[in-house]
Amino acid sequence: MRLMAVFLGLLWVFGVHVNSAQSPEMELKCIVGETVTFPAGVRRRGYLLKNGLDIAVISPLHMLCIMDNTFRDRLQWNSSTGLFSITGLKMEDEGEYEVQSSDRWHSPSVFQLTVYNPVSTPQVSSRNKMKPTCSVLCSVENGREVTLSWQREGETLNSTSSPDLNTPLSLLLKIEENSAPYSCVATNPVGNKTVRPEEVCFGGLSHDAVLYVVLVLRLVEFVLVTLAVLLLIHLYREGRVLTQQQNE
Ligand SMILES: *[C@@H]1O[C@H](CO)[C@@H](O)[C@H](O)[C@H]1NC(C)=O
Ligand SMILES: *[C@@H]1O[C@H](CO)[C@@H](O)[C@H](O)[C@H]1NC(C)=O
Ligand SMILES: *[C@@H]1O[C@H](CO)[C@@H](O)[C@H](O)[C@H]1NC(C)=O
């Protein structure tokens, strides 16, 4: 019995990780490059584990010791809050993290960290500009848990997603002029990006207008260059006349 007590005492002193009852996991979803802070504090002595392996220890002297070199410059421990943070998140940082606090002997806190790329901005292109309706294709680079949808006034008109990450997602929609504005939205668990299709269908400069502007600009350029050349020829002649007069 005494031996047992001593053993448990040693466990406590050295903060050996005891598999206590599984505490519920908390999911943390973050974007590549950002910082994650695990919301479980270590006051004086404790550990941070990733997938069951120690990556950092806090000693009673308030010292952070990082044991895993991949976290050498990216792991921080705030001694006033007791919270661990990882900066500059990478895909490889995904995994199960556990904050163990030996000084309070409460059950470990377990976090499932998932790291996502930011979702790409969808692109819209018109397929058929037959007023008053216009067919618009919206597409976006696929990625993990990316969904592409057409929305109008908060209502989802159509949506798509695919496990094949190499093929872009795309959705065709017939939109009506004078309708409430449509938006094409790409979302993943860490964000969303929206585009409005009206511009490519009903607004903005039409292709003809762009051609016209380009033509006018070319013409102006031609006139300016011609004037400059004429001016140079004129100056050159004047100069010759002047030098001839001086020579006489
Ligand atoms: C620790 O956290 C506190 C409270 O959030 C903050 O004011 C302080 O700047 C942090 N210290 C460091 C070194 O990040
Ligand atoms: C949703 O989009 C798909 C693919 O573009 C199309 O086949 C389907 O008919 C659309 N559904 C609706 C309700 O518009
Ligand atoms: C897109 O993200 C913003 C916050 O960045 C959020 O307020 C909005 O509800 C999201 N929209 C959709 C359609 O998920």
Side-chain angles (χ1 to χ4, degrees), residues 151 185 187 191-194:
Q151 305 195 349
V185 187
T187 59
N192 64 63
K193 298 266 173 62
T194 298

